[in-house]
């Protein structure tokens, strides 16, 4: 590798020294949540094996200049993609009729599964003006909300049992009809780690000729190697028509890589976009982007080659043992309960409502207390389902192989966090919301009406009133911190309470404002 201190950068007069730039990035990285060591129990998937990260980095580096857009020009891309899809097909019970693509992540895999199903549905009903539906349990990943929104389908969500997170089969069956382009089930679901009844749902969709997608984005590469026997959930169920699984989750690859597998070449061809209708090169893409990196694919390929099935089984075993240990830890904590019967390396924790209030532990206060001692758990809001029943607010833990090494330390922190907040009532969202409406001329009514009409500055004003956004002083923050967002609050429980209390469209509008301002350059 070139020594950046010795090169003259092709005689370009640099604005800044390379070493200075890297030092700044190192300082920025130091402020990130820790990506390794098991302290963050969502977003990051640490195998705990540093050499795997090294290997992935070296592989990505080798293809850094490659354009994954054209596997006929860059044949390494075709070779690696075929190998990765082949591995996935074999671990997910697929035969030669199962084909697939490597995508940029779970969301893209889910988007493409919906696009293909929509186009197959339309092709079978040429000229229909009807809007097709997607049917799924309410626990289905938000990527399917996005897909419905992007591709013009209606999302019809079936309620789940609040105790277990699993839908009653009748709730799915009642929704089936000729306008259903796709049914989606999860293996397992992100919010509650519930394994949907894949075979039972397939028995309803298959005779009706309805496509069935298994979203195994989070758990696929772990469930395929799970030590306990599980109900069948992959292509070994005949009615499953497509399946998504993320290599940047339990494939331990850097972000930007997932697979979408489809049963049947004819079905899968609907995934492609092709045009020769412009004066440039023919555009023929199985995925959403044009030019694309080959690095994440190369990294995933190298990891798959290195680990093989035995390596995956070993790492999955570590995650499974850590999950079992944490589950019994939570079950022993007075005031908390594990939701349902989680399957795979994740679980959700709710309040034990069978106890008197003074012995209950609110999972959001618990997560905030754990955060104060350096453990990042993920808060999930409660939700009213279409049948009026309420899914509890919970705290989510994604458990990775590295977690096994820190179980004693983590379990002690979870115990201590529960002791610190036992008996503290959950934040009352109505009180927080009332504080907000005081900041709006017109009060609560204006707040209701505001949802869609809110302009950017008014939305920012509300965020400031809620203490979620710094003032106009964004530009004189220390060290050139970009954007107008204040430091995120130490306690997330009030924020989640607000999410639950405000009307959905208003919360969504405010969150758009928050995220947009986080990445804004400093004011001129
Ligand atoms: C993570 C996840 C997705 C979306 O994947 P991204 O890689 O974050 O885009 C979809 N479905 C499930 C169940 C997931 O856990």
């Amino acid at each position: 590798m070139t020594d950046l201190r010795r090169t003259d950068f092709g005689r370009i007069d640099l604005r800044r020294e390379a070493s200075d730039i890297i030092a700044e990035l190192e300082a920025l990285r130091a402020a990130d949540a820790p990506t390794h060591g098991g302290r963050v129990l969502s977003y990051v998937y640490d195998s705990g094996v540093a050499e795997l990260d090294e290997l992935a980095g070296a592989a990505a580096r080798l293809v850094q200049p490659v354009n994954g857009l054209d596997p006929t020009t860059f044949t390494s891309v075709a070779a690696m993609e075929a190998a990765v899809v082949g591995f996935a097909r074999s671990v997910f019970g697929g035969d030669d009729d199962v084909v697939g693509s490597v995508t940029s992540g779970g969301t893209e895999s889910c988007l493409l599964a919906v696009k293909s199903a929509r186009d197959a549905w339309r092709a079978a009903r040429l000229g229909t003006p009807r809007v097709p539906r997607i049917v799924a349990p309410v626990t289905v990943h938000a990527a399917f909300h996005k897909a419905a929104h992007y591709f013009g389908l209606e999302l019809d969500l079936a309620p789940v049992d609040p105790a277990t997170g699993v839908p009653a089969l009748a709730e799915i069956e009642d929704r089936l009809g000729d306008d259903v382009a796709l049914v989606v089930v999860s293996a397992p679901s992100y919010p509650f780690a519930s394994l949907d009844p894949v075979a039972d749902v397939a028995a309803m969709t298959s005779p009706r000729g309805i496509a069935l997608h298994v979203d195994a984005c989070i758990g696929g590469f772990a469930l395929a190697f799970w030590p306990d026997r599980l109900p069948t959930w992959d292509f070994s169920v005949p009615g499953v028509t497509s399946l998504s699984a993320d290599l940047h989750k339990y494939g331990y690859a850097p972000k930007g890589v997932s697979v979408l597998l489809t049963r049947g070449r004819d079905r899968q061809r609907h995934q492609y976009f092709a045009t020769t209708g412009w004066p440039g090169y023919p555009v023929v893409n199985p995925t959403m982007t044009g030019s694309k990196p080959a690095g994440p694919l190369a990294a995933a390929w190298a990891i798959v080659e290195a680990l093989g099935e035995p390596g995956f089984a070993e790492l999955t075993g570590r995650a499974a043992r850590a999950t079992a240990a944490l589950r019994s830890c939570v079950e022993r904590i007075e005031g908390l309960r594990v939701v349902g019967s989680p399957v795979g390396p994740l679980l959700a924790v709710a309040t034990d409502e069978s106890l008197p209030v003074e012995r209950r532990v609110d999972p959001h206060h618990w997560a905030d207390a754990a955060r104060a001692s350096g453990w990042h758990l993920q808060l999930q809001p409660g939700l009213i389902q279409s049948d009026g029943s309420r899914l509890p607010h919970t705290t989510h833990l994604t458990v990775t192989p590295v977690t096994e090494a820190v179980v004693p330390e983590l379990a002690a922190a979870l115990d201590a966090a529960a002791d610190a907040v036992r008996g503290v009532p959950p934040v009352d969202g109505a009180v927080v919301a009332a504080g907000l409406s005081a900041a709006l001329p017109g009060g609560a009514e204006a707040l209701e009406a505001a949802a869609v009409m809110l302009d950017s500055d008014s939305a920012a004003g509300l965020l400031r009133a809620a203490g979620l956004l710094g003032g106009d002083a964004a530009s004189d923050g220390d060290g050139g911190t970009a954007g107008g967002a204040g430091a995120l609050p130490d306690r997330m429980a009030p924020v989640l309470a607000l999410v639950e209390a405000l009307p959905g469209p208003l919360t969504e509008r405010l969150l758009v404002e928050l995220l947009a301002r986080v990445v804004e350059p400093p004011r001129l």
Side-chain angles (χ1 to χ4, degrees):
M1 220 169 72
T2 317
D3 182 343
L4 292 179
R5 281 161 309 181
R6 289 175 188 282
T7 172
D8 65 355
F9 279 84
R11 283 181 283 121
I12 293 170
D13 191 12
L14 295 182
R15 189 165 67 122
R16 274 177 84 183
E17 289 289 338
S19 56
D20 181 40
I21 296 166
I22 296 301
E24 179 179 343
L25 181 52
E26 281 168 349
L28 290 170
R29 285 283 291 114
D32 281 340
T35 54
H36 287 80
R39 293 196 158 253
V40 177
L41 288 104
S42 60
Y43 299 123
V44 288
Y45 300 78
D46 184 2
S47 67
V49 182
E51 294 87 338
L52 272 187
D53 287 349
E54 289 294 323
L55 172 65
R61 182 75 196 225
L62 259 182
V63 298
Q64 183 172 289
V66 163
N67 191 344
L69 171 65
D70 186 355
T72 67
T73 301
F74 302 104
T75 52
S76 64
V77 172
M80 291 187 293
E81 182 156 359
V84 167
V85 168
F87 179 75
R89 175 172 74 181
S90 112
V91 303
F92 298 136
D95 57 18
D96 279 335
D97 201 27
V98 171
V99 289
S101 300
V102 169
T103 72
S104 65
T107 298
E108 190 179 23
S109 292
C110 297
L111 290 174
L112 288 169
V114 169
K115 180 235 177 299
S116 304
R118 181 200 65 179
D119 290 356
W121 181 90
R122 275 190 192 155
R125 293 162 186 78
L126 274 184
T128 180
R130 283 183 301 168
V131 172
R133 265 184 306 142
I134 305 171
V135 169
V138 71
T139 46
V140 76
H141 194 276
F144 291 92
H145 295 237
K146 193 178 201 175
H149 181 74
Y150 277 11
F151 298 130
L153 293 88
E154 198 186 299
L155 182 60
D156 189 356
L157 295 171
V160 298
D161 180 342
T164 62
V166 178
L169 288 171
E171 291 285 358
I172 305 285
E173 188 155 33
D174 288 350
R175 287 173 165 76
L176 300 184
D178 185 59
D179 62 335
V180 176
L182 185 67
V183 173
V184 184
V185 287
S186 303
S189 73
Y190 187 92
F192 302 137
S194 42
L195 179 61
D196 286 333
V198 180
D200 293 332
V201 174
M204 302 184 311
T205 53
S206 183
R208 292 172 168 89
I210 298 173
L212 175 62
H213 181 79
V214 174
D215 181 8
C217 277
I218 191 160
F221 283 103
L223 292 200
F225 305 98
W226 201 248
D228 310 325
R229 268 189 78 83
L230 300 175
T232 46
W233 57 273
D234 60 9
F235 281 109
S236 53
V237 177
V240 169
T241 54
S242 56
L243 183 151
S244 51
D246 292 350
L247 287 153
H248 65 202
K249 289 179 181 161
Y250 289 92
Y252 314 109
K255 292 299 177 238
V257 58
S258 168
V259 283
L260 171 61
L261 301 177
T262 304
R263 195 195 301 274
R265 287 177 177 73
D266 290 322
R267 182 187 305 281
Q268 195 247 6
R269 300 312 185 236
H270 289 289
Q271 188 185 312
Y272 279 73
F273 174 81
T275 185
T276 52
W278 75 308
Y281 55 92
V283 166
V284 187
N285 301 149
T287 56
M288 302 189 60
T289 54
S291 292
K292 63 182 179 186
L297 164 63
W301 171 79
I303 291 171
V304 163
E305 291 300 313
L307 290 178
E309 298 196 21
F312 270 92
E314 168 61 31
L315 288 177
T316 302
R318 294 178 193 176
R321 288 191 295 272
T323 309
L326 291 177
R327 187 174 167 177
S328 30
C329 160
V330 171
E331 280 163 351
R332 279 194 308 267
I333 295 178
E334 185 186 53
L336 289 174
R337 68 180 171 92
V338 172
V339 177
S341 313
V343 174
L346 47 153
L347 50 99
V349 180
T351 299
D352 181 354
E353 281 172 332
S354 71
L355 295 178
V357 284
E358 69 277 8
R359 286 162 60 195
R360 293 182 193 168
V361 173
D362 176 68
H364 288 178
H365 289 324
W366 179 61
D368 280 339
R371 170 73 180 275
S373 60
W375 299 91
H376 301 240
L377 315 180
Q378 192 175 54
L379 294 78
Q380 304 187 127
L383 185 77
I384 309 284
Q385 307 194 84
S386 58
D387 65 358
S389 63
R390 185 176 187 281
L391 299 177
H393 71 234
T394 55
T395 286
H396 169 108
L397 285 76
T398 288
V399 182
T400 57
V402 79
T403 316
E404 194 184 21
V406 297
V407 160
E409 215 188 325
L410 173 54
L414 297 181
D415 271 327
D419 291 342
V421 301
R422 186 169 293 107
V424 179
V427 177
D428 185 345
V431 173
V432 189
L436 255 198
S437 55
L440 256 197
E445 266 115 86
L447 199 60
E448 285 278 349
V452 233
M453 321 267 286
L454 218 54
D455 63 40
S456 169
D457 286 339
S458 314
L462 278 180
L463 287 168
R464 276 188 205 102
L468 293 173
L469 200 61
D472 286 332
S475 55
D476 50 54
D478 57 309
T481 313
L488 275 181
D490 294 336
R491 293 173 57 236
M492 290 301 289
V495 179
L496 270 281
L498 199 58
V499 167
E500 286 183 48
L502 294 179
L506 177 58
T507 314
E508 287 156 6
R509 178 66 189 83
L510 292 178
L511 291 176
V512 165
E513 200 57 41
L514 181 67
L515 271 291
R517 292 200 182 229
V518 166
V519 298
E520 266 189 34
R523 273 168 192 274
L524 293 174

